Amino acid sequence: MKKTSLLILGLFSMGIVSAQVGVNTESPKSTLDVTAINATTHIAGIQAPRLTLAELTAKGNSLYGTAQVGTIIFISDISGGNKTGQRVNITIAGYYYFDGSAWQKLGAFEITDDVAGDVKYSFMTVDHQGWYLLNGRAISTLPAAIQAKATSLGFTTNLPNTSDRTLKTKTTSEALGTLGGTTTKTITQANLPSAPLAGTLTANLASAGAHTHTTGTVTLNTADAHAHTVSTNLVAAGAHTHTVAGTLAAAGAHTHAVSGTLASAGAHTHTATSIYYINSDVDRGPNAGAIWSMLASTNTTTSSAGAHTHTVSGTTGSAGGHTHAVTGSLATADAHTHTVSGTLPTANAHTHSVSGSFASTGAHQHQISGTASFPTGGSGTALNNRSAYMVVNTFIYLGQ
């Protein structure tokens, strides 16, 4: 200890005389010239004041000013304190010098190929070694030297905010720092191709309740045998025939026109007129008078016991009710109507022409075949517009 004290006194003595101080040398070559002792047991070197980041933080942001530009310290521990204000660049343990506004790394830490404006991704969460987090902060919160660099890059008010964004290369018309795009996308009709959602539909539609079908004038095909229930008058305007077999009742007086031969197989009678002639040449006996003649007639009934025929031509009257047995087809050349009530079977395929509404009181099905447009059934939920990603921070280099 005594030796050390004498050395320090010697240094100050020499400083007063020559304004140059030499340590372990009598001929200092500069303001302070320290010459190492070559002994193998001697620990050579100079140590700057050692502080932890917590100790430097405790000194605040106003103790060091322009009068302390060039001051050197060694930060031995960065686990405490904070990295704001003048300490924004203190990210690792090492030597730092004060540039008038902030502590800057000294020596090898200043060697870098980074250029102001470079951008990188990093897992770092705070500013470090001249790299500043792009979080939209105001330029005025940065150190004075850094503000100038940010302004030179075009950031006059705020740094860009890259939170939840990806980066892309600019086009010729875009300005650097322009924001665009969205994280979600809602598809509208304009985003869909110009094509209908169409398909071919063949199905049975169930209809369980009574309802009606309104139709225009159409023709319905009925290919299977079925029946029609009717109670009305059917108009028959054209010539047609009716096939009949049975007995027709004729209750009123009418006439029958006949011409032909009537067969008569049973016994019956004929009423006839007989004529007698008396000739004057007949012997009349003695005392006869003058000659005379006479023609006389009588009515009588003759018997006809055997089968024979009668030839007739004329009209016979029929005053009383009677019947005619008929079989065959009756032609009806004039328009007329038929009164019907019941069910008419239709065994062959035919068509019905209809116009109006059809009532359908029971459960049934409708078979349809054709084309139809189908709704998408979507709810318009926005899509996530991001690609697969990994979360990192984005930094810009603004220097130290």
Side-chain angles (χ1 to χ4, degrees), residues 103-130:
W103 293 98
Q104 304 292 347
K105 294 179 177 65
L106 180 66
F109 301 104
E110 292 184 327
I111 300 174
T112 177
D113 292 330
D114 299 322
V115 178
D118 286 353
V119 174
K120 73 173 182 179
Y121 292 122
S122 174
F123 285 102
M124 294 292 291
T125 59
V126 295
D127 301 335
H128 57 281
Q129 300 178 11

mmCIF file of all heavy atoms in Angstrom, residues 103-130:
data_model
loop_
_atom_site.group_PDB
_atom_site.id
_atom_site.type_symbol
_atom_site.label_atom_id
_atom_site.label_comp_id
_atom_site.label_asym_id
_atom_site.label_seq_id
_atom_site.Cartn_x
_atom_site.Cartn_y
_atom_site.Cartn_z
ATOM 1 N N TRP A 103 -25.777 6.251 -24.426
ATOM 2 C CA TRP A 103 -24.605 5.379 -24.299
ATOM 3 C C TRP A 103 -24.512 4.503 -25.529
ATOM 4 O O TRP A 103 -25.471 3.854 -25.921
ATOM 5 C CB TRP A 103 -24.714 4.512 -23.045
ATOM 6 C CG TRP A 103 -24.624 5.307 -21.772
ATOM 7 C CD1 TRP A 103 -25.625 5.748 -20.986
ATOM 8 C CD2 TRP A 103 -23.418 5.750 -21.163
ATOM 9 N NE1 TRP A 103 -25.160 6.454 -19.915
ATOM 10 C CE2 TRP A 103 -23.781 6.476 -19.990
ATOM 11 C CE3 TRP A 103 -22.043 5.642 -21.460
ATOM 12 C CZ2 TRP A 103 -22.861 7.067 -19.139
ATOM 13 C CZ3 TRP A 103 -21.126 6.226 -20.612
ATOM 14 C CH2 TRP A 103 -21.525 6.932 -19.460
ATOM 15 N N GLN A 104 -23.328 4.497 -26.128
ATOM 16 C CA GLN A 104 -23.089 3.712 -27.331
ATOM 17 C C GLN A 104 -22.056 2.639 -27.041
ATOM 18 O O GLN A 104 -21.166 2.813 -26.208
ATOM 19 C CB GLN A 104 -22.588 4.613 -28.470
ATOM 20 C CG GLN A 104 -23.501 5.775 -28.818
ATOM 21 C CD GLN A 104 -24.806 5.319 -29.436
ATOM 22 O OE1 GLN A 104 -24.951 4.161 -29.836
ATOM 23 N NE2 GLN A 104 -25.767 6.231 -29.509
ATOM 24 N N LYS A 105 -22.193 1.502 -27.738
ATOM 25 C CA LYS A 105 -21.244 0.411 -27.550
ATOM 26 C C LYS A 105 -19.864 0.843 -28.037
ATOM 27 O O LYS A 105 -19.735 1.547 -29.036
ATOM 28 C CB LYS A 105 -21.733 -0.834 -28.275
ATOM 29 C CG LYS A 105 -23.025 -1.418 -27.692
ATOM 30 C CD LYS A 105 -23.462 -2.648 -28.473
ATOM 31 C CE LYS A 105 -24.701 -3.255 -27.852
ATOM 32 N NZ LYS A 105 -25.871 -2.367 -27.929
ATOM 33 N N LEU A 106 -18.857 0.365 -27.355
ATOM 34 C CA LEU A 106 -17.480 0.756 -27.649
ATOM 35 C C LEU A 106 -16.702 -0.418 -28.206
ATOM 36 O O LEU A 106 -16.919 -1.562 -27.824
ATOM 37 C CB LEU A 106 -16.796 1.275 -26.373
ATOM 38 C CG LEU A 106 -15.336 1.739 -26.496
ATOM 39 C CD1 LEU A 106 -15.249 2.972 -27.388
ATOM 40 C CD2 LEU A 106 -14.746 2.018 -25.119
ATOM 41 N N GLY A 107 -15.813 -0.154 -29.129
ATOM 42 C CA GLY A 107 -14.900 -1.172 -29.612
ATOM 43 C C GLY A 107 -15.543 -2.086 -30.626
ATOM 44 O O GLY A 107 -16.242 -1.655 -31.541
ATOM 45 N N ALA A 108 -15.334 -3.411 -30.461
ATOM 46 C CA ALA A 108 -15.790 -4.409 -31.426
ATOM 47 C C ALA A 108 -17.300 -4.381 -31.617
ATOM 48 O O ALA A 108 -17.820 -4.765 -32.653
ATOM 49 C CB ALA A 108 -15.349 -5.802 -30.991
ATOM 50 N N PHE A 109 -18.022 -3.894 -30.613
ATOM 51 C CA PHE A 109 -19.473 -3.870 -30.729
ATOM 52 C C PHE A 109 -19.946 -2.883 -31.775
ATOM 53 O O PHE A 109 -21.065 -2.946 -32.244
ATOM 54 C CB PHE A 109 -20.098 -3.520 -29.370
ATOM 55 C CG PHE A 109 -19.722 -4.495 -28.285
ATOM 56 C CD1 PHE A 109 -18.782 -4.153 -27.319
ATOM 57 C CD2 PHE A 109 -20.284 -5.758 -28.252
ATOM 58 C CE1 PHE A 109 -18.430 -5.049 -26.327
ATOM 59 C CE2 PHE A 109 -19.931 -6.654 -27.253
ATOM 60 C CZ PHE A 109 -18.998 -6.305 -26.285
ATOM 61 N N GLU A 110 -19.130 -1.912 -32.150
ATOM 62 C CA GLU A 110 -19.523 -0.921 -33.133
ATOM 63 C C GLU A 110 -19.275 -1.370 -34.567
ATOM 64 O O GLU A 110 -19.712 -0.729 -35.500
ATOM 65 C CB GLU A 110 -18.754 0.390 -32.888
ATOM 66 C CG GLU A 110 -19.147 1.082 -31.592
ATOM 67 C CD GLU A 110 -18.456 2.411 -31.436
ATOM 68 O OE1 GLU A 110 -17.301 2.541 -31.893
ATOM 69 O OE2 GLU A 110 -19.059 3.330 -30.872
ATOM 70 N N ILE A 111 -18.576 -2.465 -34.741
ATOM 71 C CA ILE A 111 -18.274 -2.949 -36.080
ATOM 72 C C ILE A 111 -19.517 -3.653 -36.631
ATOM 73 O O ILE A 111 -19.971 -4.652 -36.084
ATOM 74 C CB ILE A 111 -17.077 -3.917 -36.066
ATOM 75 C CG1 ILE A 111 -15.846 -3.204 -35.509
ATOM 76 C CG2 ILE A 111 -16.822 -4.469 -37.458
ATOM 77 C CD1 ILE A 111 -14.661 -4.101 -35.320
ATOM 78 N N THR A 112 -20.081 -3.153 -37.694
ATOM 79 C CA THR A 112 -21.310 -3.725 -38.249
ATOM 80 C C THR A 112 -21.407 -3.383 -39.726
ATOM 81 O O THR A 112 -20.870 -2.370 -40.181
ATOM 82 C CB THR A 112 -22.552 -3.195 -37.509
ATOM 83 O OG1 THR A 112 -23.725 -3.730 -38.136
ATOM 84 C CG2 THR A 112 -22.630 -1.667 -37.559
ATOM 85 N N ASP A 113 -22.108 -4.254 -40.461
ATOM 86 C CA ASP A 113 -22.379 -4.011 -41.875
ATOM 87 C C ASP A 113 -23.789 -3.459 -42.060
ATOM 88 O O ASP A 113 -24.229 -3.235 -43.193
ATOM 89 C CB ASP A 113 -22.244 -5.310 -42.680
ATOM 90 C CG ASP A 113 -20.801 -5.799 -42.723
ATOM 91 O OD1 ASP A 113 -19.902 -4.946 -42.668
ATOM 92 O OD2 ASP A 113 -20.599 -7.029 -42.812
ATOM 93 N N ASP A 114 -24.508 -3.258 -40.967
ATOM 94 C CA ASP A 114 -25.882 -2.780 -41.063
ATOM 95 C C ASP A 114 -25.915 -1.337 -41.533
ATOM 96 O O ASP A 114 -25.057 -0.532 -41.183
ATOM 97 C CB ASP A 114 -26.582 -2.892 -39.706
ATOM 98 C CG ASP A 114 -26.655 -4.335 -39.223
ATOM 99 O OD1 ASP A 114 -26.865 -5.225 -40.073
ATOM 100 O OD2 ASP A 114 -26.498 -4.571 -38.001
ATOM 101 N N VAL A 115 -26.928 -1.044 -42.339
ATOM 102 C CA VAL A 115 -27.124 0.288 -42.895
ATOM 103 C C VAL A 115 -28.484 0.791 -42.442
ATOM 104 O O VAL A 115 -29.462 0.030 -42.369
ATOM 105 C CB VAL A 115 -27.055 0.253 -44.432
ATOM 106 C CG1 VAL A 115 -27.321 1.635 -45.017
ATOM 107 C CG2 VAL A 115 -25.708 -0.286 -44.883
ATOM 108 N N ALA A 116 -28.563 2.086 -42.130
ATOM 109 C CA ALA A 116 -29.829 2.663 -41.696
ATOM 110 C C ALA A 116 -30.924 2.384 -42.723
ATOM 111 O O ALA A 116 -30.751 2.632 -43.918
ATOM 112 C CB ALA A 116 -29.682 4.162 -41.488
ATOM 113 N N GLY A 117 -32.020 1.842 -42.244
ATOM 114 C CA GLY A 117 -33.125 1.476 -43.127
ATOM 115 C C GLY A 117 -33.249 -0.010 -43.338
ATOM 116 O O GLY A 117 -34.269 -0.480 -43.868
ATOM 117 N N ASP A 118 -32.206 -0.798 -42.948
ATOM 118 C CA ASP A 118 -32.310 -2.254 -43.054
ATOM 119 C C ASP A 118 -33.428 -2.745 -42.139
ATOM 120 O O ASP A 118 -33.663 -2.190 -41.051
ATOM 121 C CB ASP A 118 -30.996 -2.917 -42.660
ATOM 122 C CG ASP A 118 -29.926 -2.759 -43.733
ATOM 123 O OD1 ASP A 118 -30.273 -2.253 -44.816
ATOM 124 O OD2 ASP A 118 -28.759 -3.125 -43.474
ATOM 125 N N VAL A 119 -34.101 -3.816 -42.564
ATOM 126 C CA VAL A 119 -35.209 -4.394 -41.789
ATOM 127 C C VAL A 119 -34.899 -5.869 -41.558
ATOM 128 O O VAL A 119 -34.361 -6.550 -42.430
ATOM 129 C CB VAL A 119 -36.549 -4.237 -42.534
ATOM 130 C CG1 VAL A 119 -37.674 -4.971 -41.807
ATOM 131 C CG2 VAL A 119 -36.906 -2.754 -42.669
ATOM 132 N N LYS A 120 -35.259 -6.370 -40.370
ATOM 133 C CA LYS A 120 -35.041 -7.785 -40.076
ATOM 134 C C LYS A 120 -36.149 -8.289 -39.156
ATOM 135 O O LYS A 120 -36.813 -7.519 -38.461
ATOM 136 C CB LYS A 120 -33.687 -8.002 -39.419
ATOM 137 C CG LYS A 120 -33.623 -7.527 -37.967
ATOM 138 C CD LYS A 120 -32.312 -7.926 -37.295
ATOM 139 C CE LYS A 120 -32.271 -7.500 -35.812
ATOM 140 N NZ LYS A 120 -31.021 -7.912 -35.154
ATOM 141 N N TYR A 121 -36.339 -9.617 -39.186
ATOM 142 C CA TYR A 121 -37.200 -10.278 -38.217
ATOM 143 C C TYR A 121 -36.329 -10.771 -37.073
ATOM 144 O O TYR A 121 -35.166 -11.155 -37.267
ATOM 145 C CB TYR A 121 -37.920 -11.470 -38.844
ATOM 146 C CG TYR A 121 -38.952 -11.093 -39.894
ATOM 147 C CD1 TYR A 121 -38.844 -11.596 -41.193
ATOM 148 C CD2 TYR A 121 -40.008 -10.254 -39.586
ATOM 149 C CE1 TYR A 121 -39.790 -11.266 -42.157
ATOM 150 C CE2 TYR A 121 -40.957 -9.919 -40.547
ATOM 151 C CZ TYR A 121 -40.841 -10.426 -41.825
ATOM 152 O OH TYR A 121 -41.767 -10.099 -42.775
ATOM 153 N N SER A 122 -36.888 -10.808 -35.886
ATOM 154 C CA SER A 122 -36.095 -11.246 -34.733
ATOM 155 C C SER A 122 -37.029 -11.711 -33.618
ATOM 156 O O SER A 122 -38.195 -11.289 -33.546
ATOM 157 C CB SER A 122 -35.207 -10.111 -34.227
ATOM 158 O OG SER A 122 -34.547 -10.489 -33.030
ATOM 159 N N PHE A 123 -36.473 -12.578 -32.761
ATOM 160 C CA PHE A 123 -37.187 -12.970 -31.550
ATOM 161 C C PHE A 123 -36.899 -11.995 -30.407
ATOM 162 O O PHE A 123 -37.457 -12.156 -29.321
ATOM 163 C CB PHE A 123 -36.808 -14.390 -31.134
ATOM 164 C CG PHE A 123 -37.444 -15.445 -31.991
ATOM 165 C CD1 PHE A 123 -36.721 -16.095 -32.984
ATOM 166 C CD2 PHE A 123 -38.775 -15.789 -31.811
ATOM 167 C CE1 PHE A 123 -37.315 -17.064 -33.774
ATOM 168 C CE2 PHE A 123 -39.375 -16.759 -32.594
ATOM 169 C CZ PHE A 123 -38.643 -17.400 -33.581
ATOM 170 N N MET A 124 -36.060 -10.996 -30.638
ATOM 171 C CA MET A 124 -35.853 -9.951 -29.641
ATOM 172 C C MET A 124 -37.160 -9.186 -29.451
ATOM 173 O O MET A 124 -37.939 -9.011 -30.394
ATOM 174 C CB MET A 124 -34.740 -9.003 -30.072
ATOM 175 C CG MET A 124 -33.361 -9.639 -30.129
ATOM 176 S SD MET A 124 -32.740 -10.090 -28.487
ATOM 177 C CE MET A 124 -32.472 -8.455 -27.793
ATOM 178 N N THR A 125 -37.366 -8.715 -28.234
ATOM 179 C CA THR A 125 -38.607 -8.014 -27.928
ATOM 180 C C THR A 125 -38.418 -6.514 -27.735
ATOM 181 O O THR A 125 -39.407 -5.782 -27.611
ATOM 182 C CB THR A 125 -39.255 -8.605 -26.659
ATOM 183 O OG1 THR A 125 -38.330 -8.481 -25.582
ATOM 184 C CG2 THR A 125 -39.614 -10.068 -26.872
ATOM 185 N N VAL A 126 -37.148 -6.036 -27.656
ATOM 186 C CA VAL A 126 -36.874 -4.616 -27.429
ATOM 187 C C VAL A 126 -35.815 -4.142 -28.407
ATOM 188 O O VAL A 126 -35.158 -4.944 -29.085
ATOM 189 C CB VAL A 126 -36.409 -4.370 -25.977
ATOM 190 C CG1 VAL A 126 -37.520 -4.701 -24.984
ATOM 191 C CG2 VAL A 126 -35.151 -5.179 -25.675
ATOM 192 N N ASP A 127 -35.615 -2.831 -28.476
ATOM 193 C CA ASP A 127 -34.565 -2.257 -29.313
ATOM 194 C C ASP A 127 -33.205 -2.790 -28.870
ATOM 195 O O ASP A 127 -32.958 -3.007 -27.669
ATOM 196 C CB ASP A 127 -34.565 -0.733 -29.185
ATOM 197 C CG ASP A 127 -35.906 -0.118 -29.587
ATOM 198 O OD1 ASP A 127 -36.625 -0.763 -30.373
ATOM 199 O OD2 ASP A 127 -36.223 0.979 -29.097
ATOM 200 N N HIS A 128 -32.286 -2.976 -29.824
ATOM 201 C CA HIS A 128 -30.971 -3.515 -29.481
ATOM 202 C C HIS A 128 -29.977 -3.185 -30.593
ATOM 203 O O HIS A 128 -30.308 -3.245 -31.771
ATOM 204 C CB HIS A 128 -31.034 -5.030 -29.280
ATOM 205 C CG HIS A 128 -31.569 -5.761 -30.489
ATOM 206 N ND1 HIS A 128 -32.912 -5.834 -30.789
ATOM 207 C CD2 HIS A 128 -30.916 -6.429 -31.481
ATOM 208 C CE1 HIS A 128 -33.075 -6.523 -31.901
ATOM 209 N NE2 HIS A 128 -31.883 -6.895 -32.347
ATOM 210 N N GLN A 129 -28.770 -2.783 -30.190
ATOM 211 C CA GLN A 129 -27.635 -2.575 -31.089
ATOM 212 C C GLN A 129 -28.009 -1.754 -32.326
ATOM 213 O O GLN A 129 -27.617 -2.059 -33.442
ATOM 214 C CB GLN A 129 -27.056 -3.928 -31.500
ATOM 215 C CG GLN A 129 -26.558 -4.747 -30.319
ATOM 216 C CD GLN A 129 -26.037 -6.106 -30.744
ATOM 217 O OE1 GLN A 129 -25.860 -6.385 -31.927
ATOM 218 N NE2 GLN A 129 -25.770 -6.961 -29.768
ATOM 219 N N GLY A 130 -28.775 -0.719 -32.150
ATOM 220 C CA GLY A 130 -29.162 0.147 -33.259
ATOM 221 C C GLY A 130 -30.405 -0.308 -34.001
ATOM 222 O O GLY A 130 -30.838 0.360 -34.939
#
